Amino acid sequence: MSDAINKSRIVKNTFILYIRMFFTMGVSLYTSRVVLDVLGIEDYGIYSIVGGIVTLFSFFNSAMASATQRFLAFEIQRNDFQQLKNTFNATLNIHIAISILVLVLAETIGLWFVTTKLNLPTERMNAVNWVYQFSVFNFLLGIIQVPYDALIIAREKMTIYAYMALLEGFLKLIIVYLLVVFSYDTLIFYAGLLFLVSFVVRIGHRQYCKRNYEESSYEFYFDKPFYKKLLSYSGWNLFGNIAELARDQGSNILLNLFFGTVLNAAYALCLPVQRTVQTFVLNLQMAVNPQIIKQYAAGNNEACLKLIFQTAKFSYFLVFIIACPILYNVDFVLELWLRNTPAYTAIFVNLSIVIILIESISGPLMVGAQATGTIKWYQITLGSIICMCLPISYFLLKSYNDPRIIFIVIIVVNAISLVARLFFLNRLIDLNVQSFVSKVLFKIIIVTTILVVLYHFTGVSIENRLINFIVNSFYITLINLISIYFIGFNQGERNLIQSFVKQQISRD
């Protein structure tokens, strides 16, 4: 496949994913506001913390998910249909086994922890149990679905995601309507309806694969050396995934233990904003990641590194453009979006956006490491660093009792992790750290500094808050676009953008 065809596919897939994103973003922001109004802050917090406990068991699934995507992409690049089919069936068998293991753990350790250790209202324990069970079975569906989603991504056929997003968004709008109309316990009703929506969407993905990809037809396959290879690779991923889950869901648990369900609601409300911003970069990376793996599989190390450099820089700038208007106007944005804003929501939103900015740079580096398959010491080192978030946060909370500490610790640890990833990529695929610093990090720092300084000295303040938000957002975005284009991008990247714009104009 030529480089031109690769670029065309990346652009097409990114465009499709962004259409999907804008729709899901609107639905997510609208439904979360209505659900907060209907459930109330306490029940909203309960749903967040109880559902979060279930995802603690996802480290098994997450470890295998990255392995599945990597091995499927490799076999597609090698054009070996039989081995591709074997790989799919092997990963599906493993995910079925994982789902059984998760079910056992969730109905024993997980259920015990929810009912005896969390800081939850006693009078809502019946609803808590229902929410927990719906969350468990929703999660089990997601585990079995992983090989099908991984196959779609490896095949780089993103259109199905756009169609299924439309269906999912429509169904979630129906959920909002039903919550308002029916008077049954809204927390239980909400959890049950979300499970049904998830079931329908996942069946849709599965049927698409069965109709379009012959390799997804299930046949029992067992080859001990191959299973050992898959599990060995995912075993090291397991360590890294446990660390990330401990950081993310452990933070939510710490908020519950120290501050109760109100701050769990604030944490839950920062997630739709976080996902909205994060989706901009994840769509780009989802389109590029298969190409990074395939270029490495084909032995094109230079092309692989070029994609990593460009994706890291483009990812940060994309998040930065979207995030800055929110960062500078977070109180107004939350007032516009929500009727009742729990304490600390604005602070959590801003700090979580800073976390996303750092993670956007790390994303392509992580894929580059995964592509090599040599991940033992990479995962041990990075997992150990990330694991430090939880104990450090716990001891600082004991001393200072400030919920912001959790996010600040994650920011510092993520920055350290980024540096560690660079040095590992230097060993694994000969990534030049000095070149990455000068071509990516230095330009990111310059563009960020330009905005902060210019806006600090030239930003305007208008009494009408809506007009102030519109004017300042336009001004911030204009500064970013100009500085990114002339300083953040090199001449080759500017030429690529100019060529793309000219093609779109000529089509019109």
Side-chain angles (χ1 to χ4, degrees), residues 57-76:
F57 299 109
S58 68
F59 57 84
F60 296 109
N61 186 44
S62 301
M64 267 307 301
S66 55
T68 302
Q69 291 182 19
R70 190 254 183 191
F71 280 91
L72 288 175
F74 254 67
E75 299 309 330
I76 290 172

Side-chain angles (χ1 to χ4, degrees), residues 49 52-53 55-60 62 237-255 267 382-394 406 409-410 413-414:
I49 185 63
I53 293 298
T55 62
L56 280 173
F57 299 109
S58 68
F59 57 84
F60 296 109
S62 301
N237 275 333
L238 183 65
F239 187 78
N241 283 296
I242 290 174
E244 291 182 0
L245 276 167
R247 178 195 65 193
D248 297 338
Q249 294 305 324
S251 298
N252 201 14
I253 293 173
L254 284 180
L255 286 173
Y267 185 86
L382 269 298
S384 298
I385 294 172
I386 295 170
C387 270
M388 295 307 297
C389 286
L390 212 54
I392 292 173
S393 296
Y394 177 80
I406 291 174
V409 169
I410 293 174
V413 170
N414 278 7

